Amino acid sequence: MKLIIGSDHGAVDLKEEVKRVLKEEFAEVEVEDVGTFGTESVDYPDIAEKVCTPVANGEADRGIVLCGTGIGMSMMANKVKGIRASLVSDLFSAEMTRAHNNANVLCMGARIISEYMAWEFTKVWLSTEYLGGKYAKRVEAMMNYEKNR
């Protein structure tokens, strides 16, 4: 699996921690970091686009975006055609966003959750398989709406 990760300046430390643990516990996942790499202010839409475009184009399997609250990143991520991004702040949502909604981008907020919880959400999100079945019809309807508008 190839995963693209990116954050704005407000979540760069959380991004680095998630990357560190990913390399330790999910060695089979190829991780590409598209920035930012410091605390100098950057615009989150630019980072979200760098993460989401390769996911939408099939160049990567999934993406993770982080900012202060996760809200801005999730809003921008969902503007990219083909992206199903979900902002999570609990384990159940992290699981259901994959199982029921086949989310391909995980969004988290560094000012909202701890490093420990960010890792727990990431672990659940990466480990949960999409159930398909009755959920496939719903995901297809969502994607058809996007395609036809």
Side-chain angles (χ1 to χ4, degrees):
M1 173 189 299
K2 181 173 181 180
L3 184 138
I4 311 279
I5 190 169
S7 72
D8 72 357
H9 56 281
V12 73
D13 291 340
L14 183 59
K15 178 191 68 162
E16 292 302 320
E17 179 62 13
V18 169
K19 270 182 17 188
R20 183 188 69 75
V21 183
L22 267 170
K23 289 177 182 176
E24 288 177 7
E25 297 195 30
F26 282 85
E28 72 280 6
V29 175
E30 177 189 346
V31 179
E32 180 183 338
D33 185 346
V34 296
T36 195
F37 302 102
T39 56
E40 186 175 321
S41 182
V42 297
D43 295 328
Y44 66 82
D46 298 336
I47 301 297
E49 184 179 357
K50 287 180 183 179
V51 171
C52 295
T53 299
V55 174
N57 292 338
E59 299 163 26
D61 300 295
R62 296 192 205 168
I64 297 176
V65 293
L66 306 104
C67 65
T69 62
I71 296 168
M73 283 288 198
S74 66
M75 293 171 75
M76 179 59 197
N78 280 306
K79 299 290 185 192
V80 178
K81 285 192 175 196
I83 294 301
R84 293 174 305 282
S86 185
L87 174 60
V88 300
S89 57
D90 63 81
L91 287 169
F92 183 73
S93 296
E95 180 181 5
M96 291 300 104
T97 193
R98 281 290 308 141
H100 291 189
N101 308 116
N102 200 19
N104 51 12
V105 174
L106 175 65
C107 311
M108 296 182 283
R111 296 181 187 133
I112 307 298
I113 61 174
S114 68
E115 287 181 351
Y116 172 79
M117 289 312 298
W119 172 245
E120 290 298 310
F121 300 157
T122 301
K123 183 170 55 175
V124 166
W125 188 75
L126 286 173
S127 301
T128 301
E129 293 296 325
Y130 174 50
L131 296 175
K134 68 181 180 181
Y135 306 107
K137 176 182 168 189
R138 298 167 187 164
V139 171
E140 183 180 349
M142 182 174 28
M143 301 316 292
N144 283 337
Y145 180 86
E146 176 184 83
K147 181 181 172 184
N148 296 320
R149 300 297 183 285

